């Protein structure tokens, strides 16, 4: 009996120690490594809390499953704005008190220091500006150097496989832009049946030359091993491959689709306070300034003081004019119906 | 007097003993029964239930739905102002409880494009007072956007409000109900095609594994045991290797600059590399390889138990080898072929990982779409309906099999 009691006491002592452990989830790769280095490690060192860091590939299904079953495994998540909008309004995320965010290192209050989009949603705090662009491999490209999204769809001049992520997002926008729709009108056109048909028709012109992939990690891989001569990719993955592995890749900024990644807290977590403490830390000036190492732009003005000037032209924020903001609202409305049409189109 | 018969007392005692024995046996199987119920029967029951019962909307806006029940949806009039007011009030309530997104998602499923309308209207209504909504909630709502005057939106709302629905099953057959409630074809035709394709792929794989496994199992069963055991290890080794490892190694073999293509090119047999990865061909060949042991093992164990003297007897009585094989040996291996074929077919029709990794878009099967609805589109009800149909398909095929071949003929060893 005595022994049993001591076991119980020990077990509960362990669970108290474990209470200071947080589980954070993000996208892995070079981005995850940069977050580990600039956000998680300094936080653990400073506070003594432990953070488990896991990878996922986006989407809200896993979060929904956790919240609905009441079995919360993830406390803090890094989500794309496309998913944030939906997850927040479905009650899968905690509301975050933006007033509690610390001011910038230069003393400017958080509300002014952050970009407007970073605090636009009550469930999240903007972390980085990233973008989806296309890149090519200098060693394998034929027919010259592509410079526009129209070139991506031009298989005559630039023969070879193109790799795209298997989902309608980004691909539909690119197809319309390559077909001559002005960037500002893309979503307006894509709302109509004719617009959607037009996008699919444009995609169909290169259908035989497309390699589809599921996770961003596959993009640099495909470009490297010759699976494709041009790939759609999150910009940081290509940047990292060039920077740290010396790959002969080239990024094309035309019609890139930029978006934010935000930190959010899964609804119902028992560690909400600790999660909030981490988010306050991770989105303060200094940790955010480490993100440009993988070419993702920080969402705070005050962070730029720490950023290497040579990197700034490589950030999406330096190319906003050439790009288009991904519409979370449009994809909340049409993501599912277009996803189904997209699958049908793929089966043809 | 027959003194061998038992007395009444003895009969009762033996019956008691028998009963106790039965109870004991039941008690021993209880853990398994409970386990099977928890891990197998109840999830399937939940899936079946989920595919027809979907109460979310009826729980979110019960009062508005009660109002909508009196509305003639086949007509060309909007619901009356009372219904609109009631909806505005309930939408405000949802918005305060942060549930408006849930409603928006449900309605959006039946009427794409309404998600942002519902959410933005909910945000605007949040600031209004209850009296204001009671008085002119309808005009407020209609004022926010022209889209609220779309009768189809209200029809979608009424339909989404039905807790028990056949709409997910209609979707799996590529059908839908139109405004008048009649069943018609959907604009996107996808699911029947996929079922057909999955069935086809599964049958091809079953056939290929049987074709490859039969001679190999025959050789294994008749070879000297020293050689047979060594070869058996070669069969079992891949069987013990992780599924993921085996699947990804096919990528290395089949890709554009992979083993097959570079070998063929080095030999000068082809100029341009073949496109093999991310095709139906890749799915079939990788799955055939992975499922081969499931065919070899039952075949081997059945063949091992066949007395070779039958075949020899037929030959010594003057039969030619081929007819003797077809008439004597082949029928005796049917139980093994059936068992292997059934195993391979059932496993392959629900296969998910391999087609997802090497199949690209062409080699996708129905299970990949079910996973898509579970993981990406969050349409769990549709996933449940698709899964239930797959289950029904397998049960139907099993029944057919039983009628024509006989389940008793299956032999695993």
């Amino acid at each position: 009996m005595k022994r049993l009691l001591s076991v119980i006491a020990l077990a509960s002592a362990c669970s108290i120690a474990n209470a200071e452990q947080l589980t954070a989830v993000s996208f892995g790769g070079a981005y995850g490594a940069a977050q580990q280095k600039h956000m998680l490690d300094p936080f653990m060192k400073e506070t003594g809390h432990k953070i488990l860091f896991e990878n996922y590939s986006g989407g809200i299904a896993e979060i929904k499953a956790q919240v609905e079953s009441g079995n919360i495994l993830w406390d803090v998540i890094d989500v794309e704005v496309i998913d944030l909008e939906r997850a927040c309004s479905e009650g899968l995320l905690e509301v975050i008190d933006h007033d509690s965010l610390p001011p910038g290192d230069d003393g400017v209050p958080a509300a002014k220091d952050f970009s407007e989009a970073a605090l636009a949603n009550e469930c999240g705090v903007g972390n980085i500006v990233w973008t989806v662009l296309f890149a090519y491999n200098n060693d394998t490209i034929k027919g010259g150097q592509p410079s526009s999204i129209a070139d991506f769809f031009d298989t005559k001049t630039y023969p070879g496989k193109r790799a795209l992520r298997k989902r309608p997002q980004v691909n539909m926008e690119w197809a319309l832009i390559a077909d001559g729709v002005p960037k500002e009108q893309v979503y307006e056109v894509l709302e109509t049946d004719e617009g959607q048909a037009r996008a699919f028709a444009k995609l169909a012109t290169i259908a035989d030359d497309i390699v589809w992939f599921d996770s961003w990690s596959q993009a640099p891989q495909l470009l490297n091993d010759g699976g494709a001569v041009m790939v759609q990719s999150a910009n940081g993955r290509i940047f990292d491959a060039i920077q740290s592995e010396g790959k002969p890749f080239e990024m094309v900024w035309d019609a890139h689709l930029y978006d934010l990644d935000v930190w959010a807290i899964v609804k119902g977590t028992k560690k909400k306070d600790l999660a909030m403490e981490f988010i306050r830390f991770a989105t303060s000036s200094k940790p955010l300034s480490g993100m440009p190492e993988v070419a993702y732009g920080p969402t705070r003005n005050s962070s730029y003081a720490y950023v290497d000037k040579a990197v700034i032209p490589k950030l999406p924020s330096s190319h906003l004019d050439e790009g288009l903001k991904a519409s979370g609202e449009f994809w909340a409305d049409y993501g599912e119906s277009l996803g189904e049409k997209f699958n049908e189109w793929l089966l043809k | 007097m027959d003194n061998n018969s038992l007395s009444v007392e003895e009969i009762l005692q033996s019956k008691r003993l028998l009963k106790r024995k039965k109870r004991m046996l039941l008690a021993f199987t209880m853990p398994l029964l409970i386990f099977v119920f928890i891990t197998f029967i109840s999830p399937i029951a939940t899936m079946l239930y989920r595919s027809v019962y979907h109460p979310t909307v009826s729980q979110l806006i019960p009062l508005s739905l009660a109002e909508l029940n009196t509305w003639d949806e086949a007509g060309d009039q909007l619901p009356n102002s009372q219904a609109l007011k009631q909806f505005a009030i309930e939408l405000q309530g949802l918005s305060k409880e942060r549930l408006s997104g849930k409603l928006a998602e449900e309605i959006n499923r039946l009427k794409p494009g309404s998600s942002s309308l519902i959410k933005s209207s909910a945000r605007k209504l949040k600031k209004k007072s209850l009296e204001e909504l009671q008085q002119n909630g309808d005009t407020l709502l209609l004022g926010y956007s022209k889209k609220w005057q779309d009768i189809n939106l209200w029809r979608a709302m009424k339909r989404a409000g039905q807790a028990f629905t056949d709409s997910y099953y209609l979707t799996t057959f590529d059908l839908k109900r139109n405004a008048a409630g009649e069943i018609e074809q959907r604009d996107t035709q996808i699911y029947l095609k996929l079922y057909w394709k999955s069935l086809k792929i599964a049958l091809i794989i079953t056939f290929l594994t049987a074709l490859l496994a039969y001679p190999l199992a025959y050789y294994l069963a008749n070879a000297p045991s020293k050689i047979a055991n060594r070869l058996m290890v070669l069969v079992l080794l891949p069987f013990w290797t992780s599924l993921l490892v085996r699947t990804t190694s096919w990528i290395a073999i089949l890709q554009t600059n992979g083993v097959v293509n570079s070998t063929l090119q080095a030999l000068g047999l082809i100029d341009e590399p073949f496109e093999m990865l991310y095709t139906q061909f890749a799915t079939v060949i990788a799955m055939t390889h992975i499922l081969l042991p499931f065919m070899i093992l039952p075949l081997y164990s059945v063949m091992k138990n066949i007395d070779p003297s039958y075949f020899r007897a037929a030959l010594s009585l003057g039969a030619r080898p081929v007819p003797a094989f077809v008439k004597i040996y082949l029928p005796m291996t049917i139980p093994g072929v059936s068992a292997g074929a059934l195993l391979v077919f059932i496993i392959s029709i629900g296969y998910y990982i391999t087609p997802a990794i090497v199949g690209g878009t062409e080699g996708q099967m129905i299970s990949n779409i079910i996973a898509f609805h579970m993981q990406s589109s969050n349409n769990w009800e549709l996933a449940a309906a698709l899964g239930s149909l797959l289950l029904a398909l397998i049960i139907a095929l099993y029944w057919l099999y039983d009628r024509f071949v006989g389940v008793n003929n299956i032999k695993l060893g």
Side-chain angles (χ1 to χ4, degrees):
Chain A
M1 192 64 202
K2 220 174 177 181
R3 215 163 135 191
L4 184 71
L5 278 177
S6 62
V7 168
I8 292 172
L10 195 70
S12 54
C14 282
S15 71
I16 289 168
N18 278 340
E20 300 302 296
Q21 184 170 303
L22 200 65
T23 304
V25 183
S26 181
F27 292 86
Y31 175 46
Q35 284 180 321
Q36 179 85 49
K37 181 176 160 198
H38 297 283
M39 296 172 167
L40 276 70
D41 287 344
F43 180 75
M44 287 193 267
K45 208 174 156 199
E46 197 163 290
T47 62
H49 301 312
K50 197 169 173 338
I51 304 182
L52 294 175
F53 202 31
E54 289 182 25
N55 290 347
Y56 84 136
S57 55
I60 63 171
E62 286 151 298
I63 305 163
K64 183 177 166 175
Q66 290 182 19
V67 173
E68 287 196 355
S69 67
N71 183 19
I72 314 288
L73 304 171
W74 298 346
D75 304 306
V76 181
I77 47 168
D78 182 313
V79 292
E80 297 174 27
V81 169
I82 286 183
D83 293 329
L84 173 77
E85 163 86 19
R86 190 162 161 193
C88 184
S89 64
E90 276 184 49
L92 304 177
L93 301 173
E94 296 278 358
V95 175
I96 284 177
D97 180 14
H98 287 153
D99 293 336
S100 76
L101 294 169
D105 286 2
D106 52 5
V108 176
K112 282 193 180 148
D113 193 20
F114 274 99
S115 73
E116 204 184 319
L119 302 180
N121 192 294
E122 52 187 345
C123 295
V125 182
N127 169 20
I128 51 149
V129 181
W130 66 296
T131 195
V132 181
L133 44 64
F134 83 86
Y136 58 89
N137 186 336
N138 264 325
D139 286 351
T140 54
I141 193 83
K142 291 170 208 150
Q145 301 203 312
S147 60
S148 74
I149 202 68
D151 293 344
F152 190 89
F153 282 80
D154 182 357
T155 47
K156 280 213 182 75
T157 320
Y158 311 94
K161 294 274 169 191
R162 281 88 166 116
L164 292 170
R165 190 162 168 188
K166 194 165 73 192
R167 55 173 189 174
Q169 284 88 342
V170 184
N171 300 327
M172 301 298 278
E173 287 100 322
W174 279 5
L176 283 183
I177 296 170
D179 203 34
V181 175
K183 272 184 294 192
E184 313 76 56
Q185 290 171 25
V186 163
Y187 287 110
E188 214 174 293
V189 174
L190 208 49
E191 266 185 29
T192 62
D193 286 344
E194 302 82 57
Q196 293 171 7
R198 189 172 164 187
F200 281 122
K202 184 70 184 175
L203 272 181
T205 60
I206 58 165
D208 292 340
D209 292 301
I210 299 177
V211 176
W212 298 102
F213 62 85
D214 290 307
S215 158
W216 287 131
S217 60
Q218 289 165 274
Q221 230 168 54
L222 282 163
L223 201 54
N224 186 46
D225 62 25
V229 295
M230 298 186 211
V231 299
Q232 180 181 87
S233 176
N235 66 307
R237 306 248 172 194
I238 300 298
F239 179 84
D240 186 62
I242 299 171
Q243 208 72 2
S244 58
E245 294 168 48
K247 299 286 181 203
F249 299 166
E250 213 72 57
M251 294 189 264
V252 181
W253 290 96
D254 184 49
H256 68 102
L257 251 89
Y258 61 92
D259 201 352
L260 258 58
D261 257 22
V262 299
W263 285 113
I265 302 173
V266 178
K267 180 119 185 171
T269 167
K270 293 195 184 78
K271 297 162 191 165
K272 195 185 164 189
D273 291 338
L274 184 60
M276 197 55 226
E277 194 184 332
F278 169 71
I279 290 178
R280 275 196 292 268
F281 178 88
T283 58
S284 51
S285 309
K286 185 82 196 178
L288 273 186
S289 71
M291 293 298 109
E293 262 180 30
V294 282
Y296 295 126
T299 46
R300 288 189 94 128
N301 274 328
S302 56
S303 299
Y304 283 91
Y306 300 106
V307 175
D308 179 3
K309 295 288 170 286
V311 179
I312 287 180
K314 305 277 186 195
L315 300 180
S317 41
S318 305
H319 297 270
L320 295 188
D321 295 343
E322 295 149 79
L324 170 69
K325 171 100 176 64
S327 170
E329 199 174 66
F330 175 85
W331 286 111
D333 274 0
Y334 293 95
E336 198 173 341
S337 62
L338 270 176
E340 207 167 48
K341 284 183 188 171
F342 183 73
N343 280 328
E344 187 204 18
W345 177 80
L346 285 177
L347 278 173
K348 273 179 186 162
Chain B
M1 263 309 269
D2 185 4
N3 46 14
N4 278 338
S5 67
L6 300 169
S7 70
V8 178
E9 181 74 5
E10 280 170 326
I11 290 173
L12 280 176
Q13 202 187 352
S14 95
K15 272 191 179 165
R16 267 202 302 274
L17 258 167
L18 206 67
K19 245 186 188 167
R20 236 184 81 190
K21 232 178 184 173
K22 274 189 181 163
R23 266 205 300 271
M24 280 286 283
L25 281 176
L26 189 70
F28 275 122
T29 51
M30 236 16 214
L32 178 67
L33 282 177
I34 294 171
F35 181 75
V36 166
F37 184 81
I38 293 175
T39 59
F40 188 67
I41 303 197
S42 68
I44 289 180
T46 319
M47 175 180 79
L48 292 172
Y49 192 54
R50 188 149 201 159
S51 64
V52 290
Y53 179 63
H54 187 53
T56 313
V57 176
S58 59
Q59 284 163 0
L60 289 173
I61 49 168
L63 300 174
S64 310
L65 287 171
E67 292 283 347
L68 284 179
N69 266 335
T70 59
W71 167 60
D72 172 27
E73 67 193 290
D76 54 1
Q77 293 289 310
L78 275 182
N80 62 31
S81 61
Q82 186 53 39
L84 295 186
K85 277 176 198 157
Q86 187 60 58
F87 178 72
I89 293 167
E90 278 188 320
L91 189 56
Q92 186 201 36
L94 290 180
S95 161
K96 282 182 177 160
E97 289 170 61
R98 317 188 47 71
L99 289 169
S100 59
K102 220 169 189 159
L103 179 73
E105 198 206 354
E106 295 296 337
I107 310 298
N108 194 59
R109 204 157 270 165
L110 294 173
K111 179 103 176 72
S114 49
S115 170
S116 61
L117 170 73
I118 293 172
K119 281 191 278 196
S120 67
S121 300
R123 269 196 294 274
K124 288 174 195 157
L125 285 170
K126 206 171 170 180
K127 296 161 203 143
K128 308 287 176 198
S129 71
L130 191 59
E131 293 82 49
E132 209 176 341
L133 291 184
Q134 274 161 346
Q135 262 171 21
N136 53 359
D138 49 341
T139 44
L140 272 175
L141 198 63
L142 295 176
Y144 288 147
S145 167
K146 265 190 197 152
K147 287 184 181 172
W148 284 114
Q149 292 179 11
D150 184 350
I151 294 178
N152 282 328
L153 175 63
W154 295 96
R155 284 179 184 140
M157 199 120 54
K158 190 170 173 179
R159 188 156 305 143
Q162 292 165 341
F164 284 92
T165 171
D166 59 359
S167 67
Y168 296 106
Y169 278 101
L170 287 177
T171 308
T172 60
F173 288 104
D174 292 324
L175 301 169
K176 65 169 184 189
R177 272 180 205 284
N178 63 12
E182 293 153 351
I183 293 170
E184 60 176 31
Q185 292 251 311
R186 287 176 91 232
D187 308 328
T188 39
Q189 297 286 311
I190 169 168
Y191 299 112
L192 285 183
K193 239 188 258 173
L194 262 176
Y195 275 110
W196 176 234
K197 192 169 158 188
S198 310
L199 206 65
K200 212 172 62 189
I201 292 183
L203 283 173
I204 293 174
I205 290 165
T206 311
F207 179 73
L208 284 178
T209 47
L211 205 66
L212 290 170
Y214 200 93
L216 181 63
Y218 179 81
Y219 181 73
L220 281 175
N222 292 298
S225 65
K226 213 174 164 188
I227 298 176
N229 285 339
R230 279 191 195 148
L231 285 176
M232 204 56 176
V233 170
L234 288 182
V235 174
L236 289 173
L237 212 60
F239 190 54
W240 293 331
T241 313
S242 150
L243 176 69
L244 218 55
V245 172
R246 277 183 288 162
T247 307
T248 39
S249 62
W250 275 105
I251 296 182
I253 294 172
L254 295 177
Q255 68 188 3
T256 319
N257 299 318
V259 179
V260 173
N261 272 323
S262 28
T263 312
L264 288 178
Q265 274 176 312
L267 292 173
L269 294 173
I270 51 168
D271 299 330
E272 284 287 301
F274 281 124
E275 292 301 332
M276 289 180 289
L277 195 58
Y278 308 124
T279 59
Q280 193 166 318
F281 170 76
T283 302
V284 170
I285 193 167
M287 278 173 68
T288 303
H289 166 237
I290 285 162
L291 295 175
L292 202 53
F294 290 96
M295 187 65 96
I296 295 176
L297 293 175
L299 264 177
Y300 171 77
S301 70
V302 167
M303 286 176 176
K304 193 83 194 159
N305 291 323
I306 292 174
D307 191 338
S309 59
Y310 292 124
F311 190 51
R312 259 181 269 146
L315 290 178
S316 70
L317 287 172
R320 295 196 155 275
V322 174
F325 177 81
V326 172
K327 280 195 178 156
I328 306 295
Y329 194 77
L330 193 68
M332 286 194 287
T333 59
I334 287 296
V337 177
S338 316
L342 208 65
L343 259 180
V344 170
F345 180 81
I346 289 181
I347 295 176
S348 60
I349 199 162
Y351 231 61
Y352 156 68
I353 297 175
T354 306
I357 294 177
V358 301
T361 52
E362 197 192 305
Q364 296 277 304
M365 295 172 72
I366 190 73
S367 42
N368 299 104
I369 288 289
I370 295 176
F372 166 78
H373 283 300
M374 289 296 294
Q375 293 168 345
S376 309
S377 78
N378 286 335
N379 197 343
W380 291 358
E381 287 71 30
L382 183 55
L386 289 165
S388 305
L389 203 66
L390 190 61
L391 181 69
L393 188 73
I394 290 173
I395 291 173
L397 285 167
Y398 185 77
W399 177 79
L400 270 177
Y401 175 87
D402 187 31
R403 278 209 58 170
F404 291 107
V405 186
V407 171
N408 297 335
N409 263 330
I410 294 182
K411 217 184 206 172
L412 285 165

